[in-house]
Amino acid sequence: GSLVAAVLAHSGRLDKEDLGTRIGRLSRRSDGVPTVALLQGEVCTMINKKYNEFLPSMQSAEDLVSQVEGLSSNIDLLKAGIESEVQRDLNVAVAEFTELKQQLERDTLVLSILKKLQEFDIALKEYNTALLEKKYVAAAQQLEKARSSLKTLESRKGFELKILKALGTELTVQTQNMLYHLGEEWQKLAVWKLPSSKESSSLESAMHSELHLRTVPSKEEEIAGPPVASVLQAFAVLGELRTKLKIFGQLLLKCILKPLVSYPSLQPFTEEQSDVFILRFKSEEPNLDHSSPMEVFDKIKLVFEVLHKYLLNVPLEQPAEGKKDCRVKLAELLGDMIWEELSDCLIQNCLVNSIPTNSSKLEQYIEVIKATEEFEKALKNMQFLKGDTTDLLKYARNVNSHFANKKCQDVIVAARNLMTSEIHNTIKITPDSCVALPRLPDPGAGDHLKTQKTSELLHNDTVNLENETKLSQYTFSLPTCRISSSVAKLMELAYQTLLEATASTDQCCIQLFYSVRNIFQLFYDVVPTYHKENLQKLPQLAAIHHNNCMYIAHHLLTLGHQFRYRLTNILCDGAATFVDLVPGFRRLGMECFLAQMRVQKGEILERLSSARNFSNMDDEENYCAANKAIRQVLHQLKRLGKVWQDVLPVNVYCKAMGTLLNTALSEIVTRIAALEDISAEDADRLYSLCRTMVEEGPRVFTPLPEDNKNKKYQEEVPVYVQKWMTFKELMIILQANLQEIVDQWADGKGPLAAEFSAAEVKSLIRALFQNTERRAAALAKIK
């Protein structure tokens, strides 16, 4: 069985599974008993069959092997032939091909260069022909072709020809020649006739400026010369149009447009002749200092209409890559160049001046906005402008903001002018006087009705709860004094501005309110600095400045309250107040006046320092020096009284003069009390000097111009001079004997004890009297 299986398996016709199956099938009969004879017969039959099938296949495989071996030998022979002969020939062919290819590339490059040189030459020839025929656009196009060819030649690396430099020079020369001819033609189209630079003013210069625009009828174009479009298109092709147009635009702005905006008297007028259109100017008497925007817009519009009709209504082909439609109007190019500068000029010199200074005139400004819209619409129709809203129209429409800004600026400028004006120009303020302030509206009808009903009820009631004692109507009034007229005007300006704010928009109202606050803050900073030298040197100005500050502070107390319910809601919630500025103004006035008081005190003490300490008055020279010092102090006080008279409020005047007089008396008392030896003659002369002070001192109290009304204040000297009674007691001591002094002391309860200490009295006794038992007894009683 294993042999049979091996044979069948070698023949490739039977696998192990088939063999086992067949052996099992053949080795059994129907009864299950193996039969050897049957098995052997079947196996032999299968072997013969498979062998017969295997022999032809094997023969075919052997034939195929022999053929493959023959083919392999032929391939080896062919490979050896290729490596020995064909490879060598192939290398030679590739080298020849590479050389031919490089030669072809060189020939192609040379041919392209020759073609470009030919194109350059043809372009220059056609340019010359077109230029002679005055076909400027064609000539310019040929120049551009030549320039393009030259750029291509110059871009070829490795072919730096010497001829290219000559070609470049020739192209430059021909371009400049072309520009020269175009410039000549342009100067014929638009001729400027300007005055010499020696003209005294711009107005005179503008009046002598003219613009001549050539007008050529269409039938005469070929005879008279090229039309405007030809010249300008040629400039555009050469890339010089913007340069020429920029120069023209600057002349237009400087000589025509800006003067028309700046000078109300300047008027344009036109004159048309056979072949030229002339734009001239004349001067008329202006109605106002500034032209209205409508008048200015009409003048500018006339100029642009003339330019559009005779010069700028020309479509141009703008060279641009990747754009199908490159046509643009000359007017549009000029507009792009000059509109921004012209718009700024119109705003600064025209629209700014037309902004109303009063809110009641804001409604009339609608006409200006409409005129601005129509002006821009006309320029857009002539293609000078493109786009939508411009800065000019935005400015006109934003009138509320500009009104507020201008109003605030005007208020601050006016306030500063008042602050820097002279202080000594004064007006008198009395409780009865009424400064010209605007009349404010009633606080509210509802409140008025409530007040009226309440008063009626009280009137009808039998019980009147009102206090019979009433305050004077002048209780909260400012006392009579003099203030600078400029400060009165400043306060009027503040009231007027706040009244203006009540009738304005919310934003404007807020701006105006804070402008008023800025007025007072500016006063606080400017006046003490600007008038610093005069306030230090001149007592009268220091007094006036003191009154000015108190006057402003007096109004600031109620200024915000008066307008509180008339301003915008944002300011009604406690923001509309000026009370916080009051302490600063009071301090400002007091500091200035106190500084002046310190100066005057210093001068008094300096004069008294020349009195030689009031010692040795029996010496005539010493007495004269002391007397002179006393006279100088009194003269100083009288001079101050004259400059402060009718300026300071009476109570302030009396306090100031009392303080200065007290300084003098206190210094005299201190110096006399410090003397160690006073002879009888010295005492008499000291008494004489003191009597001069007592007699003439009260006369410095003259706060009022009427002498008879000053008596009251001269009698009240002890009220204002703290050392007055001390001084009088000193005079008593100088003339009294020991007993009188002891009586004046009265065991420490007398008038002398009220003014001097025991030590000071003892010192005076020792200086006045000789050392005797009586003096010792008197000294013993002073304790």
Side-chain angles (χ1 to χ4, degrees):
S2 60
L3 178 64
V4 173
V7 171
L8 293 176
H10 180 70
S11 66
R13 302 293 179 134
L14 182 66
D15 57 16
K16 293 180 180 181
E17 184 181 355
D18 292 340
L19 180 63
T21 303
R22 290 188 180 186
I23 290 175
R25 182 170 49 82
L26 293 176
S27 63
R28 296 180 181 278
R29 300 180 56 183
S30 58
D31 55 1
V33 179
T35 306
V36 176
L38 291 175
L39 178 59
Q40 291 178 346
E42 181 68 24
V43 168
C44 290
T45 304
M46 289 178 61
I47 290 173
N48 289 331
K49 183 178 178 182
K50 294 296 180 180
Y51 187 73
N52 291 333
E53 293 176 356
F54 173 73
L55 284 178
S57 298
M58 184 177 174
Q59 187 64 40
S60 298
E62 291 176 352
D63 293 340
L64 183 61
V65 168
S66 63
Q67 291 178 7
V68 168
E69 289 176 351
L71 183 61
S72 175
S73 121
N74 290 336
I75 289 174
D76 292 339
L77 292 174
L78 182 61
K79 181 179 179 182
I82 289 175
E83 290 178 351
S84 60
E85 297 179 5
V86 176
Q87 184 68 37
R88 184 179 66 252
D89 296 339
L90 184 61
N91 291 336
V92 172
V94 168
E96 291 178 354
F97 174 77
T98 303
E99 184 178 354
L100 289 173
K101 182 181 178 184
Q102 292 175 351
Q103 184 66 37
L104 178 62
E105 289 176 351
R106 285 195 297 271
D107 293 344
T108 303
L109 182 58
V110 170
L111 182 61
S112 66
I113 291 174
L114 291 175
K115 284 183 179 180
K116 290 298 178 183
L117 288 172
Q118 183 185 22
E119 290 175 4
F120 183 88
D121 183 63
I122 293 173
L124 281 186
K125 288 179 180 178
E126 291 182 357
Y127 153 76
N128 286 319
T129 302
L131 186 62
L132 290 173
E133 296 175 357
K134 293 189 175 182
K135 295 179 180 179
Y136 292 122
V137 176
Q141 290 172 345
Q142 292 303 323
L143 275 181
E144 288 303 304
K145 285 183 180 179
R147 182 173 286 104
S148 176
S149 300
L150 186 60
K151 283 183 179 179
T152 304
L153 290 172
E154 290 173 345
S155 67
R156 301 290 187 183
K157 301 299 180 182
F159 282 82
E160 289 79 9
L161 303 178
K162 294 181 179 179
I163 194 176
L164 295 183
K165 185 175 181 180
L167 294 179
T169 304
E170 179 64 18
L171 182 62
T172 302
V173 170
Q174 295 302 330
T175 301
Q176 294 302 317
N177 183 41
M178 175 76 176
L179 290 175
Y180 172 77
H181 283 83
L182 290 176
E184 291 291 318
E185 294 295 342
W186 173 250
Q187 289 180 0
K188 295 176 184 177
L189 293 172
V191 181
W192 288 95
K193 292 190 176 181
L194 304 176
S196 64
S197 58
K198 296 180 181 179
E199 293 288 344
S200 59
S201 69
S202 297
L203 178 60
E204 293 179 7
S205 176
M207 287 175 59
H208 292 90
S209 301
E210 295 182 6
L211 176 59
H212 293 219
L213 302 175
R214 190 178 70 176
T215 58
V216 181
S218 57
K219 62 181 181 179
E220 299 179 5
E221 282 182 359
E222 295 181 0
I223 301 173
V228 177
S230 176
V231 174
L232 297 177
Q233 183 64 57
F235 272 128
V237 173
L238 294 176
E240 294 291 326
L241 178 61
R242 286 189 172 272
T243 303
K244 290 292 180 183
L245 210 56
K246 185 176 181 180
I247 296 172
F248 178 82
Q250 292 302 316
L251 283 172
L252 185 66
L253 280 170
K254 179 182 177 182
C255 303
I256 295 180
L257 299 178
K258 286 187 176 180
L260 286 176
V261 177
S262 302
Y263 303 110
S265 61
L266 197 63
Q267 299 290 335
F269 71 97
T270 58
E271 179 183 346
E272 190 167 7
Q273 298 179 1
S274 58
D275 61 343
V276 68
F277 187 91
I278 304 173
L279 181 63
R280 291 194 177 96
F281 302 93
K282 59 184 177 181
S283 182
E284 298 178 354
E285 191 67 28
N287 296 328
L288 301 169
D289 294 337
H290 303 286
S291 297
S292 68
M294 286 73 82
E295 294 174 353
V296 174
F297 291 158
D298 289 341
K299 296 176 188 178
I300 302 296
K301 203 187 305 179
L302 173 62
V303 174
F304 278 117
E305 286 172 352
V306 169
L307 293 175
H308 184 265
K309 181 177 180 181
Y310 295 103
L311 185 65
L312 302 180
N313 190 20
V314 177
L316 299 175
E317 296 286 345
Q318 286 288 90
E321 297 180 1
K323 293 185 179 180
K324 296 181 179 179
D325 187 9
C326 298
R327 295 174 67 82
V328 61
K329 287 283 186 180
L330 188 65
E332 184 178 329
L333 290 178
L334 181 63
D336 288 341
M337 292 178 182
I338 69 172
W339 174 248
E340 183 177 355
E341 192 171 349
L342 176 61
S343 178
D344 290 341
C345 180
L346 286 169
I347 291 173
Q348 299 300 327
N349 298 298
C350 182
L351 288 183
V352 167
N353 298 322
S354 68
I355 298 295
T357 56
N358 195 305
S359 57
S360 61
K361 297 180 181 178
L362 278 175
E363 295 182 0
Q364 301 174 8
Y365 198 79
I366 297 175
E367 299 178 5
V368 176
I369 298 176
K370 289 181 179 179
T372 307
E373 292 174 348
E374 292 173 0
F375 173 66
E376 289 195 356
K377 185 178 180 182
L379 294 188
K380 287 176 183 177
N381 291 337
M382 290 184 280
Q383 295 185 321
F384 281 99
L385 281 183
K386 58 183 179 180
D388 299 326
T389 307
T390 65
D391 291 340
L392 186 68
L393 189 56
K394 285 179 181 177
Y395 186 92
R397 287 175 175 170
N398 199 16
V399 61
N400 286 323
S401 175
H402 299 316
F403 164 74
N405 293 336
K406 182 179 180 181
K407 184 71 178 178
C408 293
Q409 182 179 354
D410 291 346
V411 166
I412 294 297
V413 170
R416 195 180 189 284
N417 290 336
L418 290 172
M419 294 172 200
T420 54
S421 62
E422 294 296 337
I423 298 179
H424 64 262
N425 296 325
T426 62
I427 60 173
K428 194 167 188 177
I429 298 295
T430 67
D432 294 321
S433 64
C434 182
V435 184
L437 298 176
R439 183 173 180 178
L440 299 176
D442 294 334
D447 294 341
H448 177 69
L449 290 175
K450 290 178 182 178
T451 305
Q452 187 176 5
K453 289 180 179 178
T454 305
S455 61
E456 290 176 0
L457 181 62
L458 289 172
H459 181 72
N460 295 330
D461 262 346
T462 55
V463 179
N464 188 356
L465 300 177
E466 186 179 357
N467 192 350
E468 294 181 358
T469 304
K470 295 183 179 180
L471 292 174
S472 168
Q473 59 176 332
Y474 303 131
T475 301
F476 296 106
S477 298
L478 200 69
T480 302
C481 63
R482 284 193 170 273
I483 64 169
S484 300
S485 58
S486 59
V487 170
K489 292 177 182 176
L490 186 71
M491 191 54 64
E492 291 177 26
L493 178 65
Y495 273 90
Q496 292 287 0
T497 306
L498 287 175
L499 192 61
E500 184 84 23
T502 61
S504 303
T505 60
D506 287 354
Q507 183 60 36
C508 182
C509 177
I510 294 171
Q511 284 186 253
L512 290 176
F513 171 78
Y514 283 103
S515 290
V516 175
R517 282 187 62 94
N518 289 339
I519 288 175
F520 299 115
Q521 291 170 348
L522 191 66
F523 183 97
Y524 191 90
D525 295 329
V526 168
V527 173
T529 304
Y530 186 84
H531 300 282
K532 181 178 181 180
E533 188 175 351
N534 288 334
L535 292 176
Q536 290 175 347
K537 291 182 178 180
L538 305 175
Q540 185 182 33
L541 294 190
I544 295 172
H545 178 65
H546 166 270
N547 294 346
N548 290 341
C549 293
M550 295 304 170
Y551 175 80
I552 292 174
H554 179 76
H555 279 278
L556 291 181
L557 283 170
T558 58
L559 185 59
H561 180 75
Q562 294 177 65
F563 289 92
R564 178 179 178 184
Y565 299 106
R566 298 297 169 186
L567 300 173
T568 178
N569 292 334
I570 302 173
L571 297 173
C572 282
D573 299 331
T577 182
F578 296 89
V579 176
D580 57 308
L581 302 177
V582 171
F585 271 91
R586 288 177 175 171
R587 184 170 57 253
L588 183 66
M590 289 174 61
E591 287 176 354
C592 176
F593 191 69
L594 289 176
Q596 186 59 230
M597 288 286 290
R598 285 192 292 271
V599 171
Q600 297 302 325
K601 282 184 178 181
E603 291 183 6
I604 289 174
L605 296 176
E606 185 178 355
R607 288 186 169 92
L608 290 175
S609 66
S610 64
R612 302 185 181 182
N613 291 328
F614 296 94
S615 62
N616 301 325
M617 287 293 101
D618 51 352
D619 185 345
E620 193 64 32
E621 188 177 344
N622 287 354
Y623 176 73
C624 290
N627 189 50
K628 181 180 178 182
I630 293 292
R631 292 292 175 184
Q632 286 179 339
V633 169
L634 290 171
H635 176 72
Q636 177 186 343
L637 293 175
K638 289 177 181 177
R639 180 171 52 84
L640 277 177
K642 289 294 182 184
V643 297
W644 284 347
Q645 185 184 73
D646 199 37
V647 173
L648 288 171
V650 173
N651 62 325
V652 177
Y653 175 94
C654 292
K655 287 180 181 179
M657 296 305 296
T659 301
L660 294 176
L661 182 57
N662 187 72
T663 299
L665 297 182
S666 179
E667 181 70 10
I668 294 172
V669 169
T670 302
R671 289 179 182 271
I672 293 176
L675 295 174
E676 295 180 357
D677 185 18
I678 304 174
S679 66
E681 187 177 354
D682 289 345
D684 290 339
R685 290 196 167 187
L686 287 174
Y687 179 83
S688 175
L689 293 175
C690 292
R691 186 177 59 194
T692 302
M693 289 296 294
V694 171
E695 289 176 355
E696 298 188 20
R699 296 178 187 175
V700 302
F701 288 86
T702 55
L704 302 175
E706 301 84 0
D707 290 336
N708 58 342
K709 292 186 178 180
N710 291 322
K711 201 168 186 180
K712 169 188 174 185
Y713 305 104
Q714 293 170 358
E715 292 172 352
E716 295 179 352
V717 171
V719 176
Y720 306 110
V721 183
Q722 185 179 1
K723 293 290 185 178
W724 184 257
M725 297 309 296
T726 304
F727 193 77
K728 294 192 80 172
E729 287 298 323
L730 177 63
M731 290 176 64
I732 292 173
I733 292 176
L734 290 173
Q735 290 294 301
N737 55 36
L738 284 171
Q739 185 59 46
E740 289 174 342
I741 294 174
V742 172
D743 293 341
Q744 284 290 108
W745 181 258
D747 295 330
K749 299 178 182 178
L752 182 59
E755 305 299 334
F756 288 98
S757 65
E760 290 172 334
V761 175
K762 287 180 179 180
S763 176
L764 283 170
I765 291 173
R766 291 189 183 102
L768 287 167
F769 300 96
Q770 293 180 355
N771 189 6
T772 63
E773 293 181 1
R774 291 183 61 194
R775 191 184 81 169
L779 289 174
K781 294 180 181 179
I782 306 298
K783 54 184 178 180

